[in-house]
């Protein structure tokens, strides 16, 4: 712990700079973030750490969520119409929206339909010149099934676009409010392509959002400045935003107490308890649309058997984990979606029973001393405040039933990349809601299409998949809920991952910070002020 904290501590010069920034109250917000982003093109990634640093700051989407709610509101689109058959969505675009100017690029025009076409066509068309010059994958597009179901995006005129689906998709509109659907500049992409630098779209981003990226030092700081031409300029209350990247929760709490940063989240329960005693700090909380879980790689020997997965789940002392890791900020989970999500159907939790677990393992032919690579996240997340300690507790529990777990970890971006490739045996992960639709959980985390993306269990069950696919195509919430209930029963029988906990989400801020809202779906730095 001491070595980690020292290695990840900000240089003295940076700390001094942050302290000076804080002194200019109202001008700069310093946010102690928990990790480095994987990049600044949100469509390429699926982690909240990356979304906070990119889609929440640099970009906008066609539609968005009202702060603190799951209600869709206009953003870069002012209105939309859906055809009677549910296949065609027509969006009227907002006029006069300005792109950001960065060194080497000054936009010559406002946002228009060409940007929407570029943004989505690069996700779908591998023969697009930009995509061929910068080949990459877009996991969320596959997770949501859009790579197969979005037939085309058409330009009606400069301020009107039309999306045509192959099949009705009730989650389509909510998906457009999700981070991956952030709108990029077609003009900037064309310039990068001409210059032979298409990869800069992920390194030197340009968007229409509230803040312009000024500099990034990996594992240290990200600096942003207010976008002077932002179309919602009256919502931006600060001139500068600084991410002080601080992976250690205790260090984040100390910096908050010392005034070196003014906002922090993903804190461990111990640190939250200490911050409650600090008069200069306020704590904001709400039940989270979150789930922490342990995913089993169902393509590995023995882990491809439901009874083996059930035995491993049964061998985990979850009440002890809730008491030690969550300390009152989590409740036992049994489903692949949280109770606050419509479509939730309560499942009976597997009781802690090491003796029965041993019998199941023996019956499945799992040898005594079988080795499992147990992966632990290197960062704190709202759904898991201490993955390393949780892994140690699971390691101890599994040892009691003859399973030898080796704990593995990597830098956060590498951790996710390797899991998508299926290198893990079992991995601690989790999910925070993106769009308020059950498909965001049951499809994105568990569908066959999501293998190689967010389906970290690499589980493909045809019965389950058929139910989720059918539900996605229905307009009725009740009809969809019925199908999702049946899908959750399949999940309960097969248990591709062990649900661990639903959580309460906390943000900690200095008392001079106002306007902090915990949203169930996204993060925003708009409307936050420093007095």
């Amino acid at each position: 712990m001491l070595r980690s904290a020292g290695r990840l501590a900000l240089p003295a010069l940076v700390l001094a700079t942050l302290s000076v920034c804080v002194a200019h109250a109202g001008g700069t917000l310093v946010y102690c973030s928990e990790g480095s982003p994987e990049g600044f093109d949100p469509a390429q990634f699926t982690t909240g750490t990356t979304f906070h640093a990119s889609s929440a700051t640099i970009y906008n989407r066609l539609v968005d969520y009202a702060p603190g709610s799951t209600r869709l509101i206009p953003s870069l689109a002012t209105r939309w119409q859906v055809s009677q058959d549910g296949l065609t969505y027509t969006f009227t675009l907002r006029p006069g929206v300005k792109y950001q100017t960065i060194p080497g690029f000054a936009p010559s025009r406002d946002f228009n339909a060409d940007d929407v076409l570029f943004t989505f066509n690069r996700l779908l068309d591998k023969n697009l010149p930009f995509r061929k010059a910068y080949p990459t994958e877009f996991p969320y597009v596959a997770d949501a099934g859009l790579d197969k179901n979005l037939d085309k995006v058409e330009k009606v005129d400069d301020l009107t676009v039309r999306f045509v689906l192959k099949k009705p998709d009730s989650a389509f509109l909510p998906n457009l409010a999700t981070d991956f659907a952030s709108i990029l500049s077609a003009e900037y992409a064309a310039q990068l392509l001409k210059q032979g630098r298409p990869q800069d779209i992920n390194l030197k981003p340009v968007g229409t959002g509230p803040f312009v990226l000024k500099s990034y030092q990996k594992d240290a700081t990200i600096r942003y400045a207010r976008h002077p031409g932002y179309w919602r300029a009256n919502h931006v209350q600060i001139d500068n935003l600084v991410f002080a990247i601080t992976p250690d929760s205790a260090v984040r709490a100390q910096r908050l107490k010392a005034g070196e940063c003014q906002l922090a989240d993903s804190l461990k329960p111990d640190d939250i308890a200490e911050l409650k005693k600090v008069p200069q700090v306020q704590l904001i909380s709400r039940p989270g649309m979150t789930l922490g879980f342990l995913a089993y790689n169902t393509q590995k020997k023995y882990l491809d058997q439901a009874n083996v997965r059930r035995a491993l789940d049964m061998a985990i002392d979850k009440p002890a984990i809730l008491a030690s890791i969550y300390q009152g900020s989590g409740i036992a989970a049994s489903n692949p979606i949280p109770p606050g999500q419509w479509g939730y159907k309560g499942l009976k939790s597997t009781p802690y029973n090491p003796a029965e677990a041993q019998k199941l393992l023996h019956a499945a032919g799992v040898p005594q001393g079988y080795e499992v690579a147990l992966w632990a996240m290197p960062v704190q997340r709202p759904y898991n405040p201490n993955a390393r300690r949780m892994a140690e507790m699971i390691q101890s529990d599994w040892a009691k039933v003859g399973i030898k777990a080796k704990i593995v970890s990597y830098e956060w971006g590498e951790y996710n990349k390797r899991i998508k490739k299926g290198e893990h045996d079992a991995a601690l992960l989790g999910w925070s809601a993106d769009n308020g639709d059950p498909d965001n959980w049951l499809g994105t985390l568990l569908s066959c299409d999501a293998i190689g993306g967010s389906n970290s269990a690499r589980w493909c069950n045809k019965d389950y998949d058929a139910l989720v696919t059918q539900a996605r195509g229905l307009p009725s919430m009740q009809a969809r809920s019925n199908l999702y209930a049946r899908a959750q029963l399949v999940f309960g029988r097969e248990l591709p991952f062990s649900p661990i906990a639903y959580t309460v989400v906390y943000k900690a801020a200095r008392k001079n910070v106002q306007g902090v809202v915990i949203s169930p779906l996204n993060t925003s730095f708009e409307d936050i002020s420093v007095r």
Side-chain angles (χ1 to χ4, degrees):
M1 178 65 73
L2 289 176
R3 186 179 70 223
S4 174
R7 177 172 59 84
L8 295 170
L10 293 179
L13 178 59
V14 175
L15 280 178
T17 303
L18 297 186
S19 296
V20 169
C21 288
V22 173
H24 296 288
T28 297
L29 175 71
V30 182
Y31 166 59
C32 274
S33 65
E34 80 283 358
S36 294
E38 299 151 283
F40 293 94
D41 177 4
Q44 295 185 42
F45 310 106
T46 58
T47 68
T49 304
T50 295
F51 294 158
H52 291 172
S54 57
S55 50
T57 52
I58 298 164
Y59 299 103
N60 295 124
R61 288 142 296 283
L62 291 177
V63 294
D64 215 333
Y65 291 100
S69 82
T70 60
R71 179 172 58 87
L72 285 169
I73 58 173
S75 184
L76 292 181
T78 59
R79 60 181 183 273
W80 53 89
Q81 293 179 318
V82 185
S83 63
Q84 288 260 343
D85 60 7
L87 296 177
T88 303
Y89 291 71
T90 304
F91 293 86
T92 301
L93 305 182
R94 188 176 300 277
V97 174
K98 310 296 181 186
Y99 275 99
Q100 299 153 3
T101 296
I102 64 170
F105 175 74
S108 67
R109 62 167 177 80
D110 293 344
F111 157 76
N112 67 25
D114 293 333
D115 302 310
V116 179
L117 265 63
F118 168 73
T119 295
F120 287 93
N121 284 334
R122 76 175 183 126
L123 306 180
L124 303 171
D125 184 2
K126 292 187 177 181
N127 292 316
L128 194 75
F130 191 91
R131 178 82 175 270
K132 291 178 76 172
Y134 179 46
T136 189
E137 297 303 318
F138 302 106
Y140 202 102
V141 176
D143 293 350
L146 289 176
D147 56 335
K148 294 181 179 178
N149 195 36
L150 184 51
D151 186 31
K152 57 186 174 181
V153 187
E154 301 173 319
K155 176 180 178 178
V156 178
D157 57 44
D158 279 351
L159 291 177
T160 312
V161 292
R162 181 185 297 128
F163 290 77
V164 181
L165 307 182
K166 297 174 184 176
K167 297 181 297 184
D169 179 358
S170 294
F172 178 68
L173 202 55
N175 278 333
L176 292 189
T178 304
D179 301 86
F180 85 94
S182 297
I183 303 298
L184 278 62
S185 164
E187 183 184 16
Y188 180 50
Q191 177 178 304
L192 293 178
L193 186 61
K194 185 176 180 180
Q195 295 171 346
R197 299 186 294 112
Q199 68 277 6
D200 278 3
I201 208 160
N202 187 41
L203 304 171
K204 301 174 181 178
V206 169
T208 61
F211 298 99
V212 183
L213 178 67
K214 304 303 286 186
S215 66
Y216 171 44
Q217 183 180 355
K218 186 176 173 61
D219 296 332
T221 56
I222 315 173
R223 295 181 180 278
Y224 306 86
R226 178 205 291 262
H227 174 199
Y230 186 46
W231 60 277
R232 284 164 50 99
N234 61 318
H235 285 261
V236 183
Q237 305 297 316
I238 52 176
D239 295 323
N240 299 286
L241 174 64
V242 177
F243 278 37
I245 299 168
T246 314
D248 189 286
S249 173
V251 177
R252 289 202 298 280
Q254 287 298 323
R255 288 182 177 159
L256 192 69
K257 286 195 283 187
E260 292 167 0
C261 63
Q262 300 141 301
L263 179 67
D265 54 20
S266 299
L267 295 160
K268 293 180 180 178
D270 285 346
D271 300 317
I272 292 170
E274 285 301 310
L275 288 172
K276 286 180 179 177
K277 303 173 186 176
V278 181
Q280 298 85 3
V281 171
Q282 57 180 316
L283 285 164
I284 305 103
S285 67
R286 68 174 291 166
M289 293 283 281
T290 57
L291 169 66
F293 58 80
L294 174 65
Y296 305 107
N297 187 338
T298 60
Q299 295 181 348
K300 295 288 184 79
K301 185 177 180 181
Y302 298 122
L303 296 174
D304 59 355
Q305 299 180 47
N307 274 348
V308 172
R309 299 191 295 269
R310 185 168 304 283
L312 293 174
D313 178 78
M314 197 178 293
I316 299 171
D317 189 350
K318 295 180 187 176
I321 286 175
L322 284 166
S324 175
I325 305 298
Y326 293 94
Q327 299 178 26
S329 65
I331 60 173
S334 56
N335 283 54
I337 61 176
Q341 172 66 67
W342 69 265
Y344 172 87
K345 175 182 175 57
L347 297 177
K348 192 174 180 179
S349 296
T350 305
Y352 174 55
N353 192 332
E356 184 62 25
Q358 273 190 310
K359 290 179 185 177
L360 288 173
L361 291 169
H362 179 73
V366 179
Q368 190 78 4
Y370 171 62
E371 293 190 1
V372 173
L374 173 59
W375 289 35
M377 297 182 299
V379 296
Q380 294 90 37
R381 299 296 299 135
Y383 46 74
N384 189 332
N386 194 341
R388 179 74 192 195
R389 177 61 185 139
M390 187 183 294
E392 291 169 351
M393 294 180 73
I394 293 171
Q395 181 186 49
S396 176
D397 289 338
W398 282 355
K400 296 171 186 173
V401 297
I403 300 297
K404 187 176 181 181
K406 177 185 177 183
I407 297 175
V408 176
S409 193
Y410 294 93
E411 180 272 331
W412 185 223
E414 189 68 16
Y415 185 88
N416 283 282
K417 187 185 301 181
R418 288 174 178 265
I419 284 175
K420 285 177 171 57
K421 292 179 180 178
E423 295 182 16
H424 60 296
D425 291 338
L428 287 168
L429 281 165
W431 195 253
S432 298
D434 289 314
N435 64 22
D437 192 276
D439 189 74
N440 183 235
W441 303 88
L442 301 175
T444 302
L445 295 180
L446 292 163
S447 71
C448 298
D449 285 341
I451 293 175
S454 297
N455 184 345
S456 48
R458 304 182 75 82
W459 179 66
C460 180
N461 180 285
K462 297 300 182 184
D463 293 336
Y464 175 94
D465 222 51
L467 291 166
V468 171
T469 300
Q470 184 182 352
R472 188 185 292 157
L474 297 177
S476 163
M477 184 181 289
Q478 185 58 58
R480 294 180 72 198
S481 292
N482 292 339
L483 291 170
Y484 289 139
R486 291 167 58 189
Q488 287 168 80
L489 290 174
V490 177
F491 170 89
R493 291 195 300 269
E494 294 289 320
L495 216 61
F497 63 67
S498 287
I500 304 292
Y502 312 119
T503 60
V504 175
V505 176
Y506 284 88
K507 286 186 185 290
R510 300 284 295 181
K511 285 283 181 70
N512 63 330
V513 175
Q514 298 178 356
V516 178
V517 175
I518 297 179
S519 171
L521 302 176
N522 53 16
T523 293
S524 174
F525 296 93
E526 293 186 41
D527 297 308
I528 295 179
S529 62
V530 182
R531 302 300 182 192

